[in-house]
Amino acid sequence: MKGKVHVILKKEELLAKKLEGKTVVIFDVLLATSTIAAALQQGAIEVIPVKNEEEARKYKPDEIALVGEYRGKTIEGFFDPNPSTLKEHVQNKAVILSTTNGTVAIHNAEKAKHVYAASLLNGEAVANAVCQPSQDETVLLVCSGSSDRFCLEDLYGAGYFISCLLQLKTFHLTDAAKAALLLYEAYEHSPVEILKRSAVGEMLTQYGFLDEIGFVSRKNVYSVVPKVVKKKLVNGEETICLK
C-alpha cells in the first residue's frame, strides 16, 4: 500500500482532530525551520519553540539563548534569528525561539504522532527519517505561511521535500502535493530566485538580508533531523522542544 503525501498551504488550516496518528513536517523556509536546523547543526542542545515574546521571556537567562523576531524584525533583547549568524550564540545552549509563524505552526501540529521541522538545508535528512519503516503511511506537509497568508517559499520547500521522499519510496500525492512538486521542478536549479520573489523574500531583501536568502537556499547541507519531543520544565509545566 502506498503512503500518502498531502500539503497544507498555511498553518491556520491545520485541524487538531485530523492529526492523530499522522506524521507532520513543518516548513518555514524564511526563516524559522531553517533557523532551527542551523541552530542544532551549530551545536545547540535543543530548540524550544514558543508562541510569542511573552512566553519566551518566562525562561531564565542561564544557559539559554533567546532568539526571535516578530513580523520580520528582531525582538528587542533577543539574538537575530538569521541562520547564518547563530553559531557564536547557540553552542551548548538551549535556544528559546519565538517567530511570527514557524514556531506557532509547530505548536499547532503538536497533536500529531510525529512532528519534524524541515527546510532546504536539511530536507534530505528529514525525508530519510520520515521514510523509515516504523513511520506512518500518511505524511502531512505544513506550509507555515505568514499571518494567515500562503507563502510561496514554503510551498517550494515542500516540493523539494517531496522530491527527496520520492527518491526513497513510492507515495500517492494529493493535488496540493503535486502542485508543490511541480513548482519545485520548475525552479529546481534557481532556489534563490524563487525565494527572492516571494513576499517574505522581498521583505527580507528590503531589510538588507539578501545574503540570508542565499544561505538558506542551499539544499542538503545539514544532517540534523529536528523532531518534536515533550519535556518537563523545572517548574513542572510541560512544553515541547526539538532535538
Side-chain angles (χ1 to χ4, degrees):
M1 179 180 175
K2 290 183 182 179
K4 184 170 78 171
V5 179
H6 180 52
V7 174
I8 288 183
L9 297 181
K10 55 184 181 178
K11 61 186 178 300
E12 289 80 7
E13 295 176 353
L14 268 179
L15 298 176
K17 63 182 180 181
K18 293 190 175 182
L19 292 177
E20 186 175 350
K22 300 289 196 306
T23 292
V24 172
V25 185
I26 305 292
F27 297 86
D28 186 348
V29 175
L30 297 173
L31 287 164
T33 55
S34 298
T35 300
I36 290 166
L40 292 173
Q41 185 76 29
Q42 294 168 3
I45 298 169
E46 61 189 7
V47 177
I48 300 175
V50 296
K51 295 178 182 178
N52 52 46
E53 175 186 348
E54 181 182 3
E55 188 176 324
R57 292 192 185 278
K58 292 179 180 178
Y59 288 82
K60 296 180 180 180
D62 298 339
E63 298 183 353
I64 68 165
L66 287 175
V67 178
E69 57 77 28
Y70 183 67
R71 294 185 176 177
K73 295 184 178 180
T74 304
I75 299 171
E76 185 176 353
F78 285 47
F79 292 120
D80 197 314
N82 287 343
S84 67
T85 63
L86 287 174
K87 188 171 185 179
E88 61 186 284
H89 305 304
V90 304
Q91 283 188 311
N92 301 315
K93 291 185 178 181
V95 172
I96 313 301
L97 180 64
S98 176
T99 69
T100 312
N101 299 293
T103 54
V104 176
I106 291 168
H107 277 273
N108 288 358
E110 64 177 306
K111 298 294 185 182
K113 187 173 183 180
H114 306 287
V115 182
Y116 297 91
S119 64
L120 300 181
L121 297 168
N122 68 330
E124 188 171 310
V126 178
N128 272 286
V130 167
C131 285
Q132 292 304 305
S134 60
Q135 295 283 36
D136 305 281
E137 292 298 321
T138 299
V139 183
L140 186 60
L141 310 184
V142 179
C143 301
S144 294
S146 178
S147 301
D148 204 15
R149 295 189 298 271
F150 158 74
C151 282
L152 185 65
E153 71 276 7
D154 293 341
L155 191 66
Y156 181 81
Y160 166 61
F161 189 78
I162 292 167
S163 176
C164 293
L165 288 177
L166 293 177
Q167 293 179 43
L168 300 167
K169 194 173 177 180
T170 301
F171 286 92
H172 168 76
L173 305 183
T174 66
D175 277 2
K178 290 175 183 176
L181 181 61
L182 288 169
L183 173 67
Y184 171 69
E185 290 175 343
Y187 289 90
E188 180 177 0
H189 303 296
S190 50
V192 174
E193 178 186 349
I194 192 69
L195 265 59
K196 279 173 56 181
R197 292 174 69 178
S198 70
V200 176
E202 290 176 349
M203 179 186 70
L204 290 174
T205 301
Q206 182 181 352
Y207 288 167
F209 295 128
L210 182 58
D211 289 346
E212 209 64 38
I213 295 175
F215 186 91
V216 303
S217 70
R218 299 172 301 150
K219 302 172 190 172
N220 190 33
V221 295
Y222 289 165
S223 59
V224 293
V225 181
K227 185 177 182 181
V228 167
V229 298
K230 292 188 175 181
K231 60 177 287 186
K232 292 286 186 180
L233 298 180
V234 175
N235 62 7
E237 294 182 4
E238 190 174 72
T239 188
I240 60 175
C241 69
L242 298 111
K243 291 186 174 183

